[in-house]
Amino acid sequence: MAKDERASKQLGDFGEQLIMFLIGRIYEHRVALVDHVGADLIATDRRNKKYAISVKSRVFEKDGPQFEFALDQQSKLESFAADFDLIPTVAFVCIDKIDISKDINIDIYMIELSDFRKLANNVQGITATGINNEILHFSNANRNQKFLQNHELINFHRLTLSGLQK
C-alpha cells in the first residue's frame, strides 16, 4: 500500500486536537487553535495563567528517534508568547509504532519551555546539544519513561487504544 501523502498533516492535526481535548474537556480550561508561526494552541487555566503551546506529534519505533526542538522553533514560540503575554509551552504526543494487533500507547507530555531548558541534561530523556546547548531533545524511549512520567515539572498522560482485530 502506498504511503498517504497527507499522513504527516493528519498526525499533526490529531496531536493538536488531542491536546485541545485534554486541556478543554478533561481540565475544563479554555483552549483555542491558533495555527500560527511558533504556536498551535493558546490556553488559559483556572488561575488565569495563559499559555502558548507548540504541539509536536510523532509515531515511534520502540526506543527510536527522539523529538528535536531546535533554536528557531524555540525562538518562534517565545516570540509568539511574548506578543500575547503567554507562557511558552511544548506538548509532545508520542505514539507507539502502529500495530493494530497490539495495544497502542499514546503518551502526552506538556512542559513549559523554561522548565524544558532547565531539565535538559539533568533528567534522563531530556538533553541539550549544540555549541551553547541550544538544541533541545525529548526522548520517550522506554528507558526514559519513569523519569519523564513522574517528574513534577512535566504534565504526563497516557491514552491506550486496545488492539484491534483485522
Side-chain angles (χ1 to χ4, degrees):
M1 178 188 266
K3 183 176 179 180
D4 184 345
E5 293 178 12
R6 306 240 335 131
S8 179
K9 171 142 177 43
Q10 291 168 347
L11 179 61
D13 290 349
F14 169 76
E16 291 169 4
Q17 293 296 320
L18 182 58
I19 298 299
M20 284 182 67
F21 175 80
L22 180 68
I23 293 170
R25 299 291 274 173
I26 304 300
Y27 291 156
E28 297 179 341
H29 298 164
R30 292 179 296 184
V31 62
L33 178 68
V34 293
D35 191 23
H36 199 278
V37 172
D40 301 299
L41 310 172
I42 57 173
T44 302
D45 69 15
R46 293 180 184 180
R47 298 168 302 202
N48 287 322
K49 287 179 76 177
K50 297 176 260 178
Y51 302 89
I53 304 169
S54 177
V55 180
K56 303 296 178 194
S57 304
R58 185 165 295 152
V59 176
F60 286 96
E61 300 278 341
K62 284 289 183 207
D63 295 334
Q66 56 192 353
F67 286 98
E68 179 181 288
F69 201 59
L71 184 58
D72 68 317
Q73 294 172 306
Q74 296 170 52
S75 297
K76 290 174 184 173
L77 174 58
E78 286 179 310
S79 176
F80 178 90
D83 287 347
F84 296 96
D85 195 27
L86 306 169
I87 300 166
T89 303
V90 185
F92 296 103
V93 177
C94 310
I95 305 169
D96 286 350
K97 181 179 179 195
I98 297 175
D99 178 348
I100 62 171
S101 67
K102 298 178 182 174
D103 288 352
I104 299 169
N105 290 321
I106 302 173
D107 290 341
I108 302 161
Y109 300 89
M110 290 184 281
I111 183 170
E112 292 179 18
L113 184 56
S114 61
D115 292 334
F116 192 6
R117 289 178 175 140
K118 183 173 22 175
L119 297 177
N121 298 329
N122 293 310
V123 170
Q124 188 168 320
I126 299 178
T127 56
T129 60
I131 296 170
N132 296 312
N133 285 331
E134 69 275 8
I135 303 168
L136 299 172
H137 303 270
F138 185 92
S139 173
N140 189 44
N142 287 338
R143 67 185 172 276
N144 301 329
Q145 289 179 1
K146 69 180 175 183
F147 302 101
L148 299 171
Q149 294 171 0
N150 297 306
H151 200 284
E152 62 195 19
L153 297 176
I154 301 171
N155 188 325
F156 168 74
H157 296 278
R158 174 172 279 171
L159 173 65
T160 301
L161 303 175
S162 296
L164 305 172
Q165 300 300 318
K166 288 187 179 183

